[in-house]
Every structure is written in structure tokens, then in C-alpha cells.
């Protein structure tokens, strides 16, 4: 796939076909992604790949924790008070994901069902947890982790697969560790749902928006 088309064509996939992703395909994606850049080639990431029964247990746990409204206990803080411009975009996305599915704001049951889908990683057959060390961590290591996660998403897209980065998968880190023994000294930062996209699902097709360049690019000639 041509690079510009891959960058523009990648999008978050929120419904997957039921078939598994062969391990060899997941491996090919990770083989490509390990070429992501990092500070001094330090490659500070660890990836934990959940499939099969382990993933099924994770989905069950994440739904249960959400249903009982357990307070979020993630390894990385989740921002509550967003700056105005970001809050507006976040709010807009929240509205769009519901309206595209025909879900009305007042339809709590349908909204709850959608959030249940989200916390079960949109039923993807594979979920990769992207982690970094708890110690010796500054913002640059988080940047490195972002670089490899985007590279995973692009590589997957180039092979006809879809991804969705999911903070919603990383909310209950202690519970995750009971199912998938990710060491305590690794921070579980984000999940990456991976699978074959369901092309007919409206949320996999709606038109997305981005800020124009003049809102965030500052030329200094
Ligand atoms: C760190 C991070 C966490 C995210 N967590 C979630 C999530 O929990 N649920 C979700 O539906 N999308 C999540 N997303 C996906 C974003 O909503 C999505 O990337 C954004 O709306 C832009 O849309 P696009 O990926 O289709 O271009 C996350 C993205 C990032 C980078």
C-alpha cells in the first residue's frame, strides 16, 4: 500500500469480523513495528499479546469491572479536565460515535451496550498491551511507545487488518495482571485491538475530522 494512502486510510476500527488473526500475521506486524524509532534506539517498550482464552477472560473482567462501576485504577493517569479545544473535540467524537450508530443520548441501554462493546475491545480476536518500564521513565519513553503503537496500527492497516487503540482496555491494571501476568514493573499504557474489520459497520466508515493546519502549525520563517 502506498504510504500516504496508508496514513490517510488508517482509522479506528470498532467492529471486527469473528475470525482469528493467524499468529504468523501478528508476528509479521510486530516484526515491522520493531523498526519504529526511539530515543537513542533504546526501544523501551514491551508488548503483551492476548488471544484465545486469556483474551476472553480479560473481556469478561473488563465488562464486570465497568458494570460494577469500579473506580478506574490504571497505571497511567487519565486526564479529567481537558483544555477547552480538546474537550470540544472529545465531546464531538462522543456524540458522533453514538449518532452514527443511531443511538440517542437518552437511550441509556443502547449507550451502555456500546460501552460494553468498547470495554470488551470491540470483540477483537487479539489485544496487544503496550507497556513501558515504571522506572527511569520520562516523557520521551512515552513518546517512543506512541511511535511503536502507531507503527503497529499502520502495519496492520497495510495488511488489511484494523486496529483501535484503547485506553478503555487499560483501566484496571491489577485485574489485568491476574489474567495476563504482566510484571508489576511495567506500566500498562494502552491496549491495541487487532482484527479483520467489519466493513459494513457504520462506525468503521463515518467521516472523521481533524484540525486545520493553521490551528496548530506555527511557521517561523
Ligand atoms: C491513547 C489513545 C487511547 C484511545 N482510547 C480509546 C478508547 O478507549 N476507546 C475508543 O473507542 N477509542 C480510543 N482511541 C481512539 C481515538 O478515539 C481515535 O484515534 C481518534 O478518535 C481519531 O480517530 P481515528 O483513529 O479513526 O483516526 C484512543 C486513541 C489513543 C491515541
Amino acid at each position: 500500500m502506498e504510504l500516504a494512502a496508508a496514513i490517510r486510510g488508517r482509522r479506528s476500527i470498532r467492529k471486527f469480523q469473528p475470525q482469528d488473526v493467524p499468529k504468523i500475521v501478528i508476528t509479521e506486524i510486530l516484526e515491522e513495528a520493531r523498526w519504529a524509532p526511539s530515543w537513542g534506539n533504546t526501544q523501551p517498550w514491551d508488548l503483551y499479546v492476548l488471544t484465545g482464552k486469556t483474551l476472553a477472560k480479560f473481556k469478561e473482567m473488563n465488562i464486570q469491572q465497568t458494570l460494577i462501576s469500579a473506580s478506574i485504577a490504571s497505571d497511567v493517569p487519565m486526564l479529567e479536565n481537558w483544555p477547552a479545544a480538546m474537550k470540544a473535540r472529545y465531546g464531538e467524537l462522543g456524540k458522533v460515535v453514538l449518532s452514527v450508530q443511531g443511538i440517542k443520548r437518552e437511550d441509556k441501554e443502547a449507550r451502555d451496550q456500546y460501552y460494553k462493546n468498547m470495554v470488551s475491545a470491540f470483540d477483537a480476536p487479539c489485544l496487544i498491551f503496550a507497556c513501558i518500564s515504571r522506572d527511569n521513565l520520562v516523557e520521551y519513553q512515552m513518546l517512543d511507545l506512541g511511535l511503536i503503537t502507531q507503527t503497529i496500527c499502520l502495519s496492520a492497516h497495510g495488511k488489511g487488518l484494523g486496529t483501535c487503540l484503547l485506553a478503555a482496555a487499560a483501566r484496571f491494571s491489577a485485574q489485568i495482571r491476574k489474567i495476563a501476568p504482566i510484571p508489576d514493573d511495567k506500566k500498562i499504557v494502552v491496549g491495541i485491538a487487532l482484527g479483520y474489520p467489519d466493513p459494513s459497520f457504520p462506525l468503521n466508515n463515518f467521516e472523521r475530522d481533524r484540525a486545520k493546519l493553521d490551528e496548530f502549525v506555527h511557521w517561523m520563517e
Side-chain angles (χ1 to χ4, degrees):
M1 188 183 289
E2 198 242 327
L3 184 58
I7 293 169
R8 284 301 301 267
R10 182 223 52 87
R11 58 178 301 141
S12 293
I13 292 302
R14 295 187 171 92
K15 190 170 182 188
F16 297 90
Q17 297 180 42
Q19 82 251 37
D20 287 339
V21 184
K23 190 170 179 183
I24 189 162
V25 177
I26 304 174
T27 308
E28 277 171 22
I29 291 167
L30 300 177
E31 277 287 351
E32 284 178 16
R34 75 193 172 97
W35 290 98
S38 61
W39 175 291
N41 200 23
T42 45
Q43 306 164 64
W45 43 67
D46 274 283
L47 303 172
Y48 297 87
V49 184
L50 276 61
T51 57
K53 285 190 186 137
T54 310
L55 180 55
K57 279 190 205 156
F58 162 80
K59 289 174 184 171
E60 203 177 308
M61 175 282 290
N62 214 29
I63 290 173
Q64 283 313 316
Q65 291 296 310
T66 305
L67 288 180
I68 63 169
S69 304
S71 32
I72 292 175
S74 52
D75 286 346
V76 287
M78 297 200 182
L79 194 58
E80 297 277 325
N81 298 314
W82 294 91
M86 293 183 209
K87 191 174 172 187
R89 291 176 195 140
Y90 196 5
E92 189 52 36
L93 176 72
K95 280 189 213 150
V96 169
V97 293
L98 295 180
S99 68
V100 162
Q101 299 178 87
I103 298 173
K104 297 218 160 55
R105 183 87 209 130
E106 57 274 18
D107 188 349
K108 187 173 175 321
E109 206 178 309
R111 274 193 290 130
D112 285 352
Q113 182 56 50
Y114 173 67
Y115 293 122
K116 224 170 126 180
N117 293 345
M118 179 168 77
V119 298
S120 59
F122 298 117
D123 223 8
C126 175
L127 180 70
I128 302 171
F129 279 115
C131 302
I132 36 171
S133 211
R134 246 178 233 288
D135 303 325
N136 308 320
L137 179 75
V138 296
E139 282 84 350
Y140 278 113
Q141 278 71 59
M142 198 60 109
L143 174 65
D144 294 344
L145 196 69
L147 291 165
I148 193 167
T149 54
Q150 164 74 336
T151 310
I152 290 171
C153 295
L154 288 174
S155 166
H157 178 60
K159 296 179 194 313
L161 283 99
T163 53
C164 189
L165 290 167
L166 285 170
R171 282 174 176 164
F172 307 108
S173 56
Q175 307 292 332
I176 295 171
R177 287 188 175 88
K178 288 184 191 161
I179 295 162
I182 297 172
D184 253 336
D185 64 347
K186 306 288 173 198
K187 278 188 188 218
I188 304 172
V189 178
V190 76
I192 310 168
L194 174 73
Y196 293 98
D198 176 341
S200 63
F201 186 56
L203 260 191
N204 291 346
N205 292 304
F206 72 95
E207 201 169 314
R208 298 160 302 153
D209 198 14
R210 290 293 196 263
K212 302 279 178 290
L213 289 194
D214 59 11
E215 290 180 51
F216 67 99
V217 177
H218 313 278
W219 298 97
M220 295 175 183
E221 291 170 338

